[in-house]
Amino acid sequence: MLMLVCPYCGVTAEETEFAPGGEAHLSRVGPDGSDEAFEAYLFARANPKGVHLERWRHAYGCGKWFLAARCTATLEVFGTYPAQSKGPPPAVLDRIADRRGAGAAARVGRGAPDAS
Amino acid sequence: MRLETGGRLIDRTRPLRFRFDDRWMTGLAGDTLASALIGQGRILMGRSFKYHRPRGPVAAGLEEPNALVTLGTGARAEPNVRATQTELFQGLRADSQNRWPSLAFDLMAANDLVSRFLPAGFYYKTFIRPRAAWKHLFEPAIRRAAGLGPAPKAADPDRYDQVYAFCDVLVAGGGVAGLAAALAAARTGARVMLFEQAPHWGGRAPVDGGTVAGGDPAGWVAAAVAELAAMPDVTLRTRATVAAVHDHGYVLVEERLTDHLGGGPGPRRRLWRIRAGRVVNACGAFERPLAFPGNDRPGVMLASALRDYVVNWAVAPGPAAVVVTNNDDAYRTALALRRAGISVPVIADARPAADGPLPQAARAAGIRVATGTGIAGTVGRGRVVAVQLCDAGGGGHVTETIPCDAVAMSGGWSPAVHLWSQPGGRLRWDEAGAMFVPDPDHPPTGAAGEPIVTCAGAAAGALRLPDCIASGARAGDPAAAAPPAEAEAEAPLLPVWVMPSGAGPRKRAKMWLDFQNDVKVSDVELAAREGYRSVEHTKRYTTLGMATDQGKLSNVNGLAVLAQALDEAIPRVGTTTFRPPFVPVTIGALAGEARGAVFQPLRRTPLHDWHAAHGAVWEPVGLWRRPYCYPRANESRADAVAREVLNTRRALGLLDASTLGKIVVKGPDAGRFLDMIYTGAMSSLPVGRCRYGLLCNEQGFLIDDGVVARLAEDTWLCHTTSGGADRIHVWMEDWLQTEWWNWRVFTLNLTEQLAQIAVVGPHARKALEALGGMDVSKAALPFMHWAEGTLAGIPARVFRISFSGELSYEVAVPADRGVELWERLVAAGGPLGVMPYGTEALHVMRAEKGFIMIGDETDGTVIPQDLGLGWAISARKPDYLGKRGQMRPALADPDRWRLVGLMTLDGSVIPEGAYAVGAGRNANGQTATEGRVTSTYFSPTLNRGIALGLIRRGPERMGEVLTFAAEGRRVQARIVSPVFHDPEGKAQDV
Amino acid sequence: MSRYSVFAIVREGLRHHTGWPRAWASPEPRARYDAIVVGAGGHGLATAYYLGRNHGITDVAVLEKGWLGGGNTGRNTTIIRSNYLQDPSAAIYEKSRALYETLSQELNYNVMFSPRGVMMLAQTEHEVRGYRRTAAANALQGVETEFIGPRRVKELCPIMNIDGPRYPVLGALWQPRGGTGRHDAVAWGYARACSQMGMHIIENCAVTGITVEGGQVRGVDTTRGPIGCDRLGLVVAGHSSQLADMAGFRLPIESLCLQALVSEPIKPCMDVVVMANTVHGYMSQSDKGEMVIGGGTDGFNNYTQRGSHHHIEETLRALVETFPMLSRLKMLRQWGGIVDMTGDRSPLISKTPVGGIFVNCGWGTGGFKAIPGSGWAMAELMAKGEPGPLAAEFSMFRFREGRFIDESVAAGVAH
Amino acid sequence: MSDVTVTRATPQGMVTLKLPPGDVAWGPALAALGLSVPAVRRLERAGDRAALWMAPDEVLLLVPDPAAALAALAGPLAGAHHLAADVGAARVVFAVAGPRAREVLAKLCPVDLHPAAFPAGSARRTRAAQVACMLWAEAADDLRLSCFRSVEGYVADLLTLSADPAGSVGLFRA
């Protein structure tokens, strides 16, 4: 059973305090999007065997959504960060590069976190 | 037999009476059931699974595969309990298992006579024809023969406790390695938990001898325990088995609290759920049997087990025991037996030479050592009376037959790596020790990828006392110094997987690998021959290692035999996966406290007790309980519902609506946000007004509905369904936090803060006026408006909304004043004919009006357009959640099933779930359908059956008659408007 | 190749079983095959078997990364039923169930199909409505089910507590011809039959790449060298996304861990399969006597085959409430399997964006029961290049059109 | 004399206050109640009032008179994007006190309640068996558990069960 750090509470808590929320950093496709784009947004999942960026909610804690970089093959957690991000922060990317190589970090890198 | 002297664990001054099957016997305090039975001369304790062969204990601890009994009687009977671990107590009752009619005379043993025709996997090759015979003949017979103990009949009367705990270092195993690890770790100031499955500390060391810190190991053990016990942040438990190490250091420990006392006032067992910074696995090692012909005969035991029985409990099967081995350690057994006055006619050592200190000591003690010697067979019915010696390397030509009461066998040791392997630690093959040991280069890893398990002592392959205790100290603290320890040097063992190595098929069919499941060398070889060559195939085909000991004794021997059969190296064959638990865990302990009243939370509304006191029958709504109806004396539920409907339509009804979700949404961007969340426009809703709203998921499917009220310029109150309260609040926060996080909106779920009461019916206004405090006239509070004020002195918010079509107000007050308001309404409503009504009347009334119900008309595949709710979708809005989804071809298809009313031609009620039968069959030969019933009721108002349904192009087919099928009947019904009652809406327009 | 029978057993018994042939051969891979099926689990082997049996295509290789039947085929709770709500599901699961009825005879291998009956408990009014609806649908679909009352439930399963108090049993959806089978035997039996048709079953052969030229598949690279083919079936539950990735497309799939456990064996006490949706657990008793128990899946992507323990606790809590006698039994073993979850929890038997590549996956938590029907439909798709009626609705492109086959409507519980 | 007591605290006035993290109004608002802003997962107490950290944008105020508190907040919050509401009727509070208090809660909550890990003044939202709850430590052996009113009976039953002396574990012994 996983242990995760809520980036808002700073608390390290067990999985039963959290609710999983699927793949992170999906960009919403609205009425202007094509059928293909909308299908990809709702259904086509990366589902990697390796580093996965995913959503979690501190359901029994502060109630906030956050994001985690986790290895689906070993369950290692490379870091968690606020949901208000366009991509993993440098510290998390560095940890991924350190543990899984620069390639793995590059695959999940999506530019700098959103400052606003 | 019980020896005159010795027995370090027994108290000869405290005899205990116990019953095995139908015989009462006497044992001693400190005995296990197994040692007590051996003390009474009883070796036969069970029957094997497949051939029902007689079985005696082969081990003395948790790895025992044979001596399984049903412990206790009645509701407290527990099947498949290991006699070797069962502490004796006054009045203990145990029964043997898997035999009929009796343990000594088991008719099922007939299987044994034809065993040559029942090899591994025989059932895959036969019982094939005739087809029906499998279910009706063969399978029932197999099921009856299979299984072990009887199924418990009654509910378990005992309680089980669970506790969460946290520590830096968790040590599994209280032998010298575990104690050294715990001490070393605790001395660094770490929070340490040490668990030992046995009732006593020290593991094998006190039995095996040697010295620690210059003295008897037992002395050091006592001192170590005393030091640990004195430390504040150290937790010590015996009778506590570490069952599993899960990912990220989640450890499960099952503690036996009252079993050894024969019961007690508190919980029977406790499941510890522990988060450990790291785990030290010091669970020791399991001795391996030798695969020689007749090695399953009662009286044949592991050498270490016989040593334990003699040294710990002063019992032995008889006055003479033969030792057969491939290593030096077994000589300790010979010496211990001799010291205890038991004769050892011979030590058969498969090795060409045995000249180490231990063999020399044995010879010095006058024990005959026969090297290069193996066992060709054992003699005896029900128990061993002699062994036949042979050349260990030959084909099994008997050179000598030696009478004996017991055979102590040792094929070497297998480290107990389970807790290392469960979370993913890998193993490597140690040639010298002929054993799988933890591979330090591939440990199981934790949340940060760090190693989370270290193995220490015998579990790490450090079998000799000095290495064992040293590796323990290192595991606890790399900097720690280990206490000095000494033990005799040991010569390397000689791997022996089949004895004698040249044995032919007949002998190989008598060499047991898995004693409980009756898997023999010949079975594994058969599996290999038939191509079940993966170790997993062999396991599954032969059931090797699938018994209740999960292969603790049989796995390594089995895969070694498989490797030989495949002519592969053992490490290439590999092992099967180690799965939790290490030893079986009581299901009650895993279920924990959650029984009866606390099985699940039950949510009560502020008015719950009033409903209960007034005869409500309940309907579960999620975790809530809501009144279904309030039957009066000898009134049926249906009658009660009809009465409640009619009374509400004709006079006045009260409904507890407190479970409805109430979510406040506030902020400069709240309107814009709600316009995205709801299909309709909420930003344009004037303050003081209410609007019905629909919520869809991104697929476009309807997920919830409710009335939204605008409380202030920047504040809205969103009502949801009872089930939706939490779900929709989470849904809103999801979008606010992860998509539109720059929008300035706060939400707050006030569902539990407010009690909400629906006051419904022609007299509703009169009732509120009777309470006084607010103007609820048509002019002051028109339909779909709300007002704030004080009713009967209670601060209240009154919404004029209706789910019944009647004049209706919903009054919200602080939850702690809900009962007060309800009782005031009941009092004030008395003269007006007030009655409470339940959820069923609510459902009937909304159906009479054609109002949809989430979960009835919707099932996750329905869009608002299907339900004729297009009017609640803002066409002007460029976007809302679900809009894009609803644009997809399948959701825009004009042929979709859409909502209509249905009236049976004969006035009857259409069965629930009925489908409208279409023309012909589809490509798969299924009868075509063109719609289904979503809600169906008897309408007291119309005095006939009414239904809502989804029908292909339904609204375009008014007046058509369709055939509905369910429960083997067919019913004809006409498509009508879904609004059955008061279509003009006169009732509420007053 | 010898036929299995009681006579063969006796013959072999008299010569210590030294004459049994290999159940299936382990040949070296050839340079190319008419068709390659990736994945020697039940679905893959059944696909190959029906390619030969129904379509005369026997130049087939079945490639297996590990050991045959070692995926979900060898780690499920062996429930076989077809009481599904939606027409396409009911069609393929009932086809599958019907094939199971005669599978032992067809394969000359006892797969121990045991139609002991499957009941899905209704413990809330909402479930009663849901299962009545399913029963009504099944009647029109040709699936034999009925909604039965609490008394009948108790007769069929005496060890059950039907009185609650929390969730009294209000009834159940009962499928008398549902039941269980021996999961390993299904894989082994199909493998033996494929081998007898001359097909190549190649274990320890992992696909490392897929060769596509001009939008058409040409072959695969494997740990045992490249192998050519014009028809490639991907039947690799748990790793479907990885294979699709090699071929350059994505699937509407997430991989989750589903756990199961068995108790120690006890004497027979339960002759039916019981599934309880409200309290989320299901149970049957194996021929060995073990209570075979399953629950729900983890909510997060996971390839470790090690699930989160709280799901085990939740399932056991629920079952102890419904079966109070369970409490004193012991959990012998727990394990996990990786299941493909699609957007509507229904499978894919489908063409793909790449010519000649077909997928059969997404069976979620219910794959075992579908093995024969799935193989039958997949073989037809691979043989003809177009889906037959059984597979037609299970296209991977249905999500784009919003054409769902949503079974969560009725059965949310894993199976 | 039992080594742990579980009591349903008298109704406690509560106000939820939400403000953007780091908003300038935080200080003045809590000052208006004589409180300072609680640090992450901390309790700030001043006499009969206290502020509990709930989330980066939320505190729970324990006050004798919610209406008065809301009135006092109105000034400092004027013009700020905020949400303040009386939630006192939504929750109940249990006091779990005595040497065994931490052990009793450890049976229900997956939280390290070692005195060093959860000292006086700590506050934590978590889970009590199957429901959400708020935990805080008024003093070393005086802990409080707050849950929603609808599950009061469930939580009361659990606490009674956990406090049963026959089920004593012996954790956190001094």
Side-chain angles (χ1 to χ4, degrees), chain B residues 619-622 628 840 843 853-860 912-913 932 934-935 937, chain C residues 121-134 147 167 170 277-278 408-411:
Chain B
E619 176 177 16
V621 179
Y628 176 91
E840 188 63 0
H843 289 165
M853 181 68 63
I854 298 293
D856 289 348
E857 276 62 44
T858 69
D859 63 2
E912 275 178 343
R932 63 184 184 89
T934 57
S935 299
Y937 298 100
Chain C
L121 300 182
Q123 292 175 286
T124 66
E125 292 294 341
H126 189 263
E127 273 183 314
V128 171
R129 287 194 288 273
Y131 288 140
R132 284 190 186 281
R133 175 184 168 188
T134 306
F147 187 86
Y167 292 113
L170 307 175
N277 196 344
T278 297
S408 58
V409 171

Side-chain angles (χ1 to χ4, degrees), chain A residues 4-16:
Chain A
L4 295 168
V5 180
C6 171
Y8 298 100
C9 296
V11 71
T12 303
E14 70 166 43
E15 189 184 317
T16 59

Side-chain angles (χ1 to χ4, degrees), chain B residues 159 161-162 164 166 191 233-234 237 267 270 599 601-604 666 668 744-747 752-753 815, chain D residues 18-19 81-82 86-90 106-107 109 111-112 114 127 130 149-150 154 164 166-169 173:
Chain B
R159 261 186 49 218
D161 190 35
Q162 293 184 333
Y164 290 101
F166 295 75
R191 286 168 65 185
D233 279 333
V234 173
R237 286 291 190 284
R270 170 172 298 126
F599 164 58
L602 188 147
R603 298 180 71 182
R604 297 176 169 87
K666 182 174 189 281
R744 298 194 304 159
V745 180
F746 283 126
T747 71
E752 297 249 10
Q753 171 67 16
Chain D
K18 291 191 173 196
L19 277 170
H81 164 45
H82 74 280
D86 179 351
V87 295
K107 291 188 178 194
C109 306
V111 174
D112 187 355
H114 189 285
R127 181 170 64 77
Q130 300 172 55
R149 70 172 296 135
S150 66
Y154 172 73
D164 176 357
S168 178
V169 183
R173 61 209 153 86

Side-chain angles (χ1 to χ4, degrees), chain A residues 47, chain C residues 43 72 84 93 234-241 251-255 338-350 359-368 370 374 394 396 398-399 405 407 415:
Chain A
N47 195 29
Chain C
H43 291 262
N72 295 340
Y84 280 69
Y93 285 108
L234 307 180
V235 195
V236 289
H239 289 80
S240 306
S241 298
L251 291 170
I253 277 182
E254 297 205 77
S255 298
I338 305 308
V339 299
D340 298 339
M341 284 294 185
T342 63
D344 60 2
R345 300 298 187 257
S346 288
L348 312 177
I349 306 174
S350 178
V359 293
N360 177 352
C361 60
W363 293 95
T365 59
F368 175 71
S374 152
F394 293 105
M396 67 179 276
R398 67 180 181 264
F399 300 94
I405 307 166
E407 284 295 336
H415 38 84

Side-chain angles (χ1 to χ4, degrees), chain B residues 80 98 116 124 128 139 146 149 156 158 247 273 529-530 532 537 540 550 579 585 587-588 600 699, chain C residues 17 23 68 74 105 109-110 114 116 167 182 184 265 267 287 305-306 313 327-329 331 404:
Chain B
N80 308 340
N98 199 36
R116 73 183 307 172
Y124 298 123
I128 295 174
E139 186 182 41
D156 187 345
D158 283 318
D247 292 294
R273 303 142 108 185
R529 188 176 308 128
E530 292 195 79
Y532 301 89
H537 286 149
R540 290 153 179 265
Q550 288 285 288
R579 294 287 190 181
V585 178
I587 284 172
Q600 265 185 8
Q699 301 260 33
Chain C
H17 302 279
L68 179 158
Q105 296 70 36
Y109 199 103
N110 189 354
S114 173
R116 57 192 51 221
Y167 292 113
R182 174 82 181 97
D184 292 322
K267 289 297 177 186
D287 287 344
Q305 296 187 337
R306 298 190 305 268
E313 291 186 11
S327 176
R328 269 184 123 78
L329 300 185
M331 175 174 79
F404 301 105

Side-chain angles (χ1 to χ4, degrees), chain B residues 638-656:
Chain B
D639 293 348
V641 170
R643 171 179 51 77
E644 290 170 11
V645 168
L646 293 174
N647 185 75
T648 304
R649 292 229 182 269
R650 292 170 189 168
L652 179 60
L654 296 182
L655 174 79
D656 179 358

